[in-house]
Amino acid sequence: MEPRQSQEPQKPQEPNLPPAKLFIGGEWSAPQGGKTFTTENPATEETLCEVASGSPADVDRAVEAAQAAFTGDWRKTSARDRGRILWNIADALEARIDEFALVETLDNGKPIFESRYVDVPAGIAALRYYAGWADKIHGDTFPVEGPFLFAYTLREPMGVVGAITPWNFPIIQALWKIAAALACGNTVIHKPASYTPLTALKFAELAVEAGLPAGALNVVTGGGSAVGGSMVSHPGIAKISFTGSTEVGQGIMRQAADTVKRVTLELGGKSPNIVFADGDVDAAVKGAYNGIFYGKGEVCAAGSRLFVERKIHDEMLEKLIARTERLRPGDPLHPKTRMGALVSSSQRDTVMSYVEIGKKEGAEVVTGGTLADVGGKGYFMNPTILSGVDNAMRVAQEEIFGPVLVVIPFDEPEEAVALANASIYGLAAGVWTRDIGKAHRIAAQLQAGTVWINQYNWYDSGAPFGGFKQSGFGRELGRQALEYYTETKTVFVGK
Ligand code: NAP
Ligand code: MG
């Protein structure tokens, strides 16, 4: 049994918060018009600090700085030196890991355990992974017919990349994009989510201190359409790498058409986790639990639809409820806390409204479904399981993006695959079975960008991540991501 979490308030460390400014051309810069907004700590409902509210004119300034770096200092930096600089940035971030983890937890509400041991380390890992790639991105030579000796291809950077990121894994999502884009020789303008802008700002400053040329990474905070929208339509930005909701992604795709801008979209999900009776039930219980409750369920690839073979349905559900009832939200700064606060009051309200929708649709709340009291403040919710769910219900089709699991029984493997694939999304999936042939057969049939076998929610810098269907297109991480940050140029060499 996991230790009970103490609700003792932790003595707060003093967080090192960034100024209410944008980071453009290697320095802090006041937003035009001087407007700011606030970011809060969702565990205490207290304002953390003011943040600069950027405008389209600020995006213009950032584009100018990023283009100057693209044709200037960053272009002149050799591929090997780009790798060395990325590695130095990773070292600098590692040296300040506790400081960054604290700010991430204060801004997002996630447990310090996650920020310190998963999020910031995963960002560092991505920087090191792409540091290694920087001098290994190259074209081919090949024979061609005609008055030519041969032809070759160059893999060139695209130019200024616009990175737009969500609030659930702020530093991870930022660094997956920034590391790959910079390794390829692009420069970047990053617009972080307004709920969680702080680690992005701190990171840009750290990167320049660690040797990144001014202008190679700029951060413009501010509203989704004022800043994000201006980036999407800006002719000086070559590519938009977006992670966020399917709805906003659809708008970005439409808007990008005007400048034929390259886009990659990492969008929502409603990922199936399929447990067969021949699987290790206890391991599957743990996997299903981590699959939905890790990260408060505010995880794009959350295993939010649990399909259980009917023979073991009741046994599995009973074990899962018992485990879930030992998980209680707590102070995110307490090292033993494993579930923090939802990111905002509006996210809490949305997630809670789905509990009501589920009830009206005929689902049964078998545990949770209630707010949690953690010192009388904050957006805490108890982990929730709905059973008696049909895959056609809204709670089984719509992304809830919170700690709410729906459980659906099935009888045959074909039925499980059909139900799993009956979704507009296709981000990830899980399969639990001891039958190795069946595991691979099912993995081949699932419409998902990632399939975990006897495991869930695992990521690696070397493993490409992205969606099928309305979960988006393009891939982050791995060698594949490099394709999305480079253009291919063919050069013919005459005789
Ligand atoms: P969101 O509302 O789509 O926002 C994502 C980002 O887009 C934010 O920075 C937001 O800025 C910005 N934005 C909003 N409107 C915009 C516009 N018109 N033009 C350009 N940018 C705009 O998503 P979210 O609520 O932050 O994040 C949750 C969603 O992200 C979920 O659907 C989740 O599944 C998805 N997600 C997907 C992945 C993946 O890899 N597939 C990973 C994580 C999350 P503001 O914050 O200022 O509004
Ligand atoms: Mg915040």
Side-chain angles (χ1 to χ4, degrees):
M1 187 169 145
E2 288 180 13
R4 282 254 167 205
Q5 291 163 17
S6 151
Q7 305 297 346
E8 298 277 305
Q10 292 302 290
K11 199 169 180 291
Q13 300 157 257
E14 207 46 59
N16 180 5
L17 303 174
K21 291 193 170 163
L22 309 170
F23 194 81
I24 297 178
E27 56 193 27
W28 296 111
S29 165
Q32 223 182 44
K35 283 205 196 119
T36 59
F37 63 99
T38 58
T39 183
E40 72 170 341
N41 176 348
T44 61
E45 303 178 39
E46 282 162 11
T47 296
L48 275 170
C49 59
E50 299 283 325
V51 180
S53 188
S55 65
D58 295 312
V59 172
D60 287 342
R61 291 196 296 130
V63 171
E64 226 170 90
Q67 275 180 338
F70 179 67
T71 52
D73 287 346
W74 197 230
R75 193 64 182 234
K76 289 183 209 132
T77 305
S78 72
R80 205 143 291 166
D81 281 345
R82 289 203 304 270
R84 197 173 48 76
I85 290 169
L86 284 173
W87 196 275
N88 289 345
I89 296 170
D91 286 348
L93 182 53
E94 193 163 56
R96 290 168 60 184
I97 194 164
D98 289 309
E99 176 193 334
F100 274 74
L102 174 64
V103 172
E104 192 82 320
T105 279
L106 293 174
D107 211 5
N108 168 282
K110 63 177 66 202
I112 192 72
F113 168 79
E114 293 183 15
S115 303
R116 171 63 181 80
Y117 295 102
V118 181
D119 294 40
V120 186
I124 294 166
L127 286 164
R128 293 206 171 117
Y129 176 79
Y130 286 109
W133 268 115
D135 64 356
K136 297 166 197 73
I137 301 164
H138 53 73
D140 299 316
T141 57
F142 41 89
V144 283
E145 305 269 350
F148 300 105
L149 286 172
F150 62 92
Y152 61 89
T153 53
L154 296 168
R155 296 275 302 285
E156 296 190 346
M158 291 175 157
V160 179
V161 167
I164 303 178
T165 54
W167 44 258
N168 58 337
F169 289 94
I171 198 153
I172 295 186
Q173 298 295 347
L175 294 189
W176 284 6
K177 296 181 191 310
I178 292 166
L182 291 177
C184 295
N186 302 285
T187 56
V188 178
I189 299 172
H190 177 207
K191 185 242 168 303
S194 295
Y195 285 137
T196 56
L198 300 180
T199 49
L201 290 161
K202 287 171 64 66
F203 176 77
E205 183 185 47
L206 172 141
V208 168
E209 285 168 3
L212 188 70
L217 172 62
N218 309 277
V219 180
V220 182
T221 46
S225 58
V227 175
S230 310
M231 286 165 62
V232 179
S233 55
H234 204 295
I237 294 182
K239 182 233 161 87
I240 293 286
S241 175
F242 172 78
T243 299
S245 61
T246 293
E247 195 184 353
V248 172
Q250 287 165 335
I252 286 177
M253 204 171 156
R254 278 186 210 108
Q255 204 187 335
D258 291 338
T259 49
V260 195
K261 194 165 272 104
R262 285 92 181 102
V263 286
T264 44
L265 303 175
E266 300 288 345
L267 310 176
K270 190 75 185 180
S271 297
N273 201 358
I274 306 172
V275 184
F276 289 100
D278 60 9
D280 176 341
V281 176
D282 292 328
V285 166
K286 195 170 164 207
Y289 166 96
N290 284 326
I292 185 66
F293 299 130
Y294 184 85
K296 315 165 247 166
E298 291 171 341
V299 179
C300 50
S304 50
R305 288 185 298 153
L306 181 66
F307 294 101
V308 186
E309 191 167 338
R310 202 176 304 275
K311 277 183 247 175
I312 57 159
H313 176 273
D314 293 353
E315 176 198 351
M316 170 134 190
L317 187 57
E318 195 179 306
K319 287 181 168 171
L320 187 55
I321 292 170
R323 192 179 180 110
T324 302
E325 289 182 346
R326 294 201 299 270
L327 175 66
R328 287 294 149 245
D331 176 358
L333 292 177
H334 194 293
K336 286 192 171 140
T337 293
R338 293 293 179 269
M339 182 176 265
L342 299 187
V343 76
S344 65
S345 60
S346 99
Q347 186 65 13
R348 173 202 59 196
D349 294 345
T350 305
V351 177
M352 286 297 289
S353 78
Y354 272 105
V355 175
E356 290 313 308
I357 291 168
K359 282 187 203 160
K360 284 203 189 92
E361 289 180 304
E364 186 191 348
V365 180
V366 290
T367 186
T370 49
L371 297 177
D373 184 1
V374 180
K377 285 279 182 198
Y379 314 125
F380 295 94
M381 178 183 170
N382 286 311
T384 300
I385 301 176
L386 305 181
S387 80
V389 172
D390 183 281
N391 194 54
M393 289 179 184
R394 282 184 64 190
V395 286
Q397 288 296 315
E398 296 175 17
E399 185 180 46
I400 298 175
F401 221 55
V404 180
L405 178 70
V406 303
V407 186
I408 301 173
F410 69 90
D411 293 297
E412 300 298 329
E414 301 72 38
E415 183 192 0
V417 169
L419 287 168
N421 287 341
S423 166
I424 59 167
Y425 296 113
L427 192 55
V431 182
W432 300 82
T433 173
R434 289 193 178 95
D435 178 340
I436 190 168
K438 183 171 167 184
H440 290 293
R441 268 197 315 280
I442 302 287
Q445 293 174 69
L446 289 168
Q447 296 163 344
T450 296
V451 178
W452 287 288
I453 296 172
N454 296 331
Q455 179 56 259
Y456 205 91
N457 251 347
W458 198 257
Y459 307 85
D460 190 279
S461 300
F465 180 74
F468 279 28
K469 303 196 279 186
Q470 291 189 36
S471 290
F473 55 83
R475 289 293 177 272
E476 305 222 79
L477 302 179
R479 180 171 48 75
Q480 282 76 0
L482 303 170
E483 309 274 330
Y484 299 99
Y485 290 107
T486 50
E487 297 278 12
T488 297
K489 178 183 283 174
T490 305
V491 181
F492 286 88
V493 182
K495 278 183 180 146

